Amino acid sequence: MSGNYFDNKIQHLDVELQGLLDLPMVEKIICHNATEYNFRINKPQRLNVTSQEKAYNNSNEINIGYGVTYNPTKSPHILISGGTGSGKSMFMSFLLIEFLKQKSTTYLCDPKNSDLGSLSNYFGDKYVATTPNNIARVIRLAVDEMKSRYDYMNENFIYGSNFETHGFKPVWILFDEIGAFQAYGTDKKSKEIINETMDRIKQIILLGRQAGCFILITGQQINANNLSTELRDNFSLRVSLGFNSSEGLRMMFGSATPDVTIPIEVKGAGLLYLHGNGKEQAHYYESPYIDSEQFNFIEELKKYIPEQSRE
């Protein structure tokens, strides 16, 4: 761009360039002296999940397919949005098993008492919560663990260390449908429980990284009513599955909302933003594909559930 009449035209060549190249545009970056259009030439591979022999993952990295590797120590916390039939539950099931493969302590919060809540049959009631009081208890357990880890690390101080240095494994909270949890606040007492729990969730989001305490939150719609913008920006991995309105995308991705409209035509597909991966905006993504005839989720889960979870 050179400060003349054509600069505005240069910034709005999306349709023309896609038609000329016959390629999908994945990102547009407007710089001070140029506009950069990025197109996908080679389609990344969608991960096809199949049953395998029991094998633990000794690294913090998780291959979530479509050319994306996730590491919570570099990019803490996960936020997933998606309506009915978007593939959100399938993606969360995949991540749950991946966390267990890393020998993580995993807590499940399901205020709607649906898929995650039913897993109390395998994890036990200590690790699975469906009522406001039990969810508050689980979140309190995770915060207490985080604080005790910080106390230990301070007593055994090593400059630049984190939970791994001191031999701790990750702690994960999977919180399905946070909006449904907040909807329980219908009277003074229940509102107090909701507010106290949300305050503890905020502590985990802001302080959990170094202690290895992470949270995954899902919702059909993520907005300022169920998650403030301040907290949303602390989720380093954000995934919106299925169709989402332009306003919904802005609430999910903020300044990382793509400038171009990206069609979502595959179940389990959507937009993904990973902080620190070199992309300024959310881009097209297809979550791992699980064929129920080839992959038995419960049988796979049983391989990795720790014995203490079943007590």
Side-chain angles (χ1 to χ4, degrees):
M1 294 188 285
S2 54
N4 60 34
Y5 167 81
F6 295 103
D7 285 0
N8 185 60
K9 186 76 173 172
I10 287 172
Q11 293 179 1
H12 299 89
L13 292 173
D14 314 37
V15 176
E16 290 89 340
L17 289 174
Q18 288 183 88
L20 174 65
L21 301 173
D22 193 23
L23 291 171
M25 184 183 299
V26 294
E27 189 174 32
K28 177 171 74 172
I29 303 172
I30 299 176
C31 307
H32 72 283
N33 64 346
T35 299
E36 179 181 313
Y37 296 89
N38 293 312
F39 297 86
R40 173 161 287 130
I41 297 174
N42 297 317
K43 183 179 179 180
Q45 190 71 37
R46 185 177 191 180
L47 184 63
N48 187 23
V49 182
T50 57
S51 296
Q52 298 176 350
E53 293 295 321
K54 182 176 179 179
Y56 286 100
N57 179 4
N58 295 319
S59 79
N60 283 315
E61 294 191 341
I62 299 173
N63 174 22
I64 61 174
Y66 221 71
V68 182
T69 300
Y70 174 66
N71 186 336
T73 60
K74 296 178 180 178
S75 308
H77 314 307
I78 301 173
L79 186 62
I80 303 172
S81 71
T84 304
S86 65
K88 176 165 56 75
S89 296
M90 188 184 298
F91 188 33
M92 192 162 48
S93 298
F94 164 79
L95 289 171
L96 171 57
I97 289 178
E98 292 301 312
F99 297 153
L100 293 173
K101 285 182 179 179
Q102 295 176 325
K103 298 184 179 179
S104 302
T105 300
T106 308
Y107 295 100
L108 309 178
C109 298
D110 183 3
K112 293 178 74 174
N113 197 12
S114 53
D115 293 340
L116 283 188
S118 66
L119 296 181
S120 61
N121 294 309
Y122 306 98
F123 282 88
D125 292 334
K126 178 181 177 181
Y127 294 91
V128 181
T130 57
T131 65
N133 284 326
N134 275 332
I135 289 172
R137 174 187 59 80
V138 162
I139 300 298
R140 194 181 306 116
L141 279 175
V143 170
D144 290 345
E145 172 66 16
M146 180 180 73
K147 290 178 177 178
S148 69
R149 288 185 176 194
Y150 272 117
D151 290 341
Y152 180 87
M153 290 190 290
N154 288 331
E155 291 170 6
N156 301 272
F157 180 74
I158 301 173
Y159 181 75
S161 67
N162 65 6
F163 69 100
E164 290 179 281
T165 315
H166 296 274
F168 293 117
K169 293 293 183 182
V171 172
W172 272 100
I173 300 165
L174 276 66
F175 202 123
D176 193 18
E177 296 296 348
I178 195 163
F181 173 66
Q182 292 170 319
Y184 278 115
T186 55
D187 54 49
K188 184 178 179 180
K189 185 175 181 180
S190 59
K191 284 180 180 177
E192 285 179 1
I193 294 171
I194 303 298
N195 291 335
E196 287 175 8
T197 303
M198 291 304 298
D199 284 343
R200 290 190 177 98
I201 288 174
K202 182 176 181 179
Q203 290 180 52
I204 294 169
I205 293 170
L206 298 178
L207 304 173
R209 176 178 181 172
Q210 191 175 1
C213 296
F214 308 108
I215 190 165
L216 180 158
I217 288 178
T218 79
Q220 292 204 16
Q221 287 286 342
I222 300 299
N223 54 49
N225 293 325
N226 51 43
L227 198 67
S228 69
T229 302
E230 172 202 1
L231 292 182
R232 178 207 63 196
D233 290 343
N234 283 277
F235 285 81
S236 299
L237 175 61
R238 285 173 252 162
V239 182
S240 171
L241 296 176
F243 171 79
N244 205 338
S245 65
S246 56
E247 180 61 27
L249 291 176
R250 279 193 294 274
M251 292 304 302
M252 187 72 176
F253 298 113
S255 60
T257 305
D259 297 321
V260 296
T261 300
I262 301 174
I264 308 300
E265 300 171 345
V266 178
K267 182 176 179 178
L271 299 181
L272 175 148
Y273 172 74
L274 178 60
H275 179 74
N277 75 339
K279 294 186 181 292
E280 296 182 3
Q281 297 179 332
H283 58 89
Y284 181 78
Y285 169 72
E286 293 180 10
S287 63
Y289 176 71
I290 298 178
D291 184 344
S292 57
E293 293 185 3
Q294 310 249 340
F295 184 84
N296 188 318
F297 169 68
I298 295 299
E299 290 304 315
E300 200 72 16
L301 192 69
K302 288 178 181 177
K303 296 177 186 177
Y304 299 101
I305 296 177
E307 288 299 323
Q308 64 266 26
S309 297
R310 306 178 194 182
E311 293 175 359

